[in-house]
Amino acid sequence: GQSLEQPSEVTAVEGAIVQINCTYQTSGFYGLSWYQQHDGGAPTFLSYNALDGLEETGRFSSFLSRSDSYGYLLLQELQMKDSASYFCAPNSGNTPLVFGKGTRLSVIA
Amino acid sequence: DAGVIQSPRHEVTEMGQEVTLRCKPISGHNSLFWYRQTMMRGLELLIYFNNNVPIDDSGMPEDRFSAKMPNASFSTLKIQPSEPRDSAVYFCASSFREGEAFFGQGTRLTVV
């Protein structure tokens, strides 16, 4: 079967760094995607890790450890506009991009 | 490209009526996904097509739901008969590369 865990809510201060963790169990695992969704909007792609290690894209970085079935999204220099829901989504052969309830990030001044 | 196009953006219907949601994926994308999003259940994958062929429909809640992809540029999700518990935002997404999908703006369905 499949399972996916990430915190439901995270609050952080503007300018700070926040890490959103994700653990998963997926058969036939290929890689881990991260998506951002603002209230009332559609999910938008942030990053994809097919290999172990850290991928950096501007203020956002994503990490994957395949042996631990674990990944995280790191957001640096937080801005108010980063307040949104963040989803990790394991990718596998026949059931790609399975999302869950996501993590709601609130950035406060 | 205009991105993934979904119609209608909003739909209000009475219980028991048939509802058809439409999606035009990005040209050249070979994968298409239908998702349903609610507060209680999050973003659920309903069905996944690859090259117009349904690969995994295990997420389709019950026989009232059906999806088709008659060609590479069009897909429909039909609910017949609709029920109040089907009220949700339905997203269509398309992809040409592993892990990266582009979502439409969604259809907000309300069944009263």
Side-chain angles (χ1 to χ4, degrees), chain A residues 30-31 33 35 37 41-43 45 48 50 87 91 93-101, chain B residues 33 35 37 39-43 45 48 55-56 58 91 98-101 103-105 108:
Chain A
Y30 285 173
S33 301
Y35 285 76
Q37 184 182 28
F45 174 78
Y48 180 60
F87 296 85
N91 205 39
N94 285 342
T95 54
L97 294 178
V98 177
F99 294 80
K101 294 184 180 181
Chain B
F33 311 83
Y35 291 91
Q37 187 171 36
M39 290 290 291
M40 290 294 294
R41 302 175 69 92
L43 193 57
L45 177 64
Y48 156 55
I55 303 299
D56 182 5
S58 60
F91 287 104
E98 186 178 291
E100 181 177 0
F103 282 73
Q105 287 305 301
R108 182 173 295 278

Side-chain angles (χ1 to χ4, degrees), chain A residues 49-109:
Chain A
N49 293 65
L51 303 175
D52 283 0
L54 193 68
E55 295 273 347
E56 297 182 53
T57 308
R59 296 187 296 113
F60 293 5
S61 303
S62 56
F63 172 83
L64 175 66
S65 169
R66 298 171 73 98
S67 60
D68 295 323
S69 295
Y70 164 76
Y72 66 72
L73 181 68
L74 191 73
L75 295 82
Q76 303 183 72
E77 300 173 19
L78 281 173
Q79 302 176 10
M80 301 299 286
K81 67 178 182 179
D82 297 330
S83 293
S85 292
Y86 293 85
F87 296 85
C88 63
N91 205 39
S92 64
N94 285 342
T95 54
L97 294 178
V98 177
F99 294 80
K101 294 184 180 181
T103 298
R104 187 171 184 86
L105 171 65
S106 298
V107 180
I108 59 175

Side-chain angles (χ1 to χ4, degrees), chain B residues 53-90:
Chain B
V53 176
I55 303 299
D56 182 5
D57 65 354
S58 60
M60 296 287 263
E62 47 198 273
D63 291 346
R64 297 184 298 106
F65 285 68
S66 63
K68 293 182 179 179
M69 192 165 186
N71 57 62
S73 59
F74 185 64
S75 177
T76 60
L77 178 68
K78 186 176 293 186
I79 309 172
Q80 166 64 18
S82 58
E83 298 181 3
R85 60 189 167 129
D86 301 331
S87 297
V89 180
Y90 290 81

